[in-house]
Amino acid sequence: DVAFAVAGRAVAAHLVAIAELVADRLPRSPQLVVLDEPWLGDLMLPGFPLPPEPAIDLVSGAMAAVTPDVTVGLHSCGAADIASLLAAGPDVLSVPVDRRLVRVAGYLVRFLEGGGRIAWGVVPTDGPIATGTDRAVRRLGEVWGELIRRGGDPAMLQARSIVTPCCGLGTHTPAVATQVCRATRDIGRRIEADAVPVSAA
């Protein structure tokens, strides 16, 4: 109980300090902070060290420390429970593109309709790094197609989406990180040009 409470306060204090420093150095620049919480992928599993509600409250409290001045996102690269991630109250939800997301299409559509944004992890960062983007674009199009079939507005989906690598690049060489970033940029341009083939499978 003590460790988690201290951790929650420490994370909130660090977020505030970083946000204040950035605001001081770049006063006209909007800020986007994304909390990376990989353990949330295990939140609903037996043996998780906290019940779901207190765990969500810890994450939510950390994000609240810098809102509304900062746009706050929440990232989990595991197979996290989407409802739990959204319950924490992020402005931006960051998740890898995966077919499992179609099972929670209703949650995602309502989140977008409520003003949220989704950062889609389109470029894999584990295993061999792909040289092309067609497969990643096709996978994104399949998920988007299902969201549209379940009531999502295509224009809203395009306007309220961000594309990112699936997870962090800290374990990769600069050359590989550059390759991943270029692939992500290219996919973003294809979305901007409305060149993502959407299909409801």
Side-chain angles (χ1 to χ4, degrees):
D1 292 342
V2 173
F4 283 113
V6 169
R9 290 194 296 270
V11 170
H14 277 72
L15 286 174
V16 170
I18 292 169
E20 288 177 350
L21 180 62
V22 172
D24 179 64
R25 302 293 172 87
L26 301 168
R28 297 180 184 175
S29 296
Q31 293 187 49
L32 168 62
V33 173
V34 180
L35 293 181
D36 181 6
E37 186 43 84
W39 268 37
L40 284 177
D42 298 333
L43 180 63
M44 307 306 287
L45 298 178
F48 192 78
L50 280 176
E53 190 171 336
I56 291 168
D57 286 346
L58 275 173
V59 176
S60 183
M63 293 191 296
V66 289
T67 55
D69 300 323
V70 174
T71 299
V72 183
L74 180 57
H75 172 78
S76 185
C77 57
D81 179 64
I82 297 297
S84 297
L85 295 179
L86 295 178
D91 302 310
V92 179
L93 176 68
S94 173
V95 288
V97 173
D98 191 283
R99 284 286 302 167
R100 67 182 175 83
L101 294 174
V102 303
R103 299 197 299 265
V104 292
Y107 285 105
L108 298 177
V109 169
R110 285 192 295 275
F111 177 64
L112 292 170
E113 289 175 343
R117 295 182 182 273
I118 299 178
W120 304 93
V122 291
V123 180
T125 53
D126 58 343
I129 304 299
T131 55
T133 59
D134 288 346
R135 184 176 178 186
V137 168
R138 187 167 57 250
R139 195 167 54 244
L140 179 64
E142 289 173 357
V143 173
W144 279 19
E146 190 63 26
L147 294 184
I148 292 167
R149 191 179 74 80
R150 299 191 185 198
D153 177 72
M156 175 191 69
L157 190 58
Q158 183 183 39
R160 305 200 66 78
S161 290
I162 304 166
V163 290
T164 67
C166 286
C167 282
L169 300 172
T171 60
H172 294 291
T173 65
V176 171
T178 299
Q179 180 181 339
V180 170
C181 289
R182 284 178 177 158
T184 305
R185 177 200 60 194
D186 292 346
I187 293 170
R189 288 176 175 171
R190 290 175 71 169
I191 292 171
E192 198 172 37
D194 201 20
V196 174
V198 172
S199 61

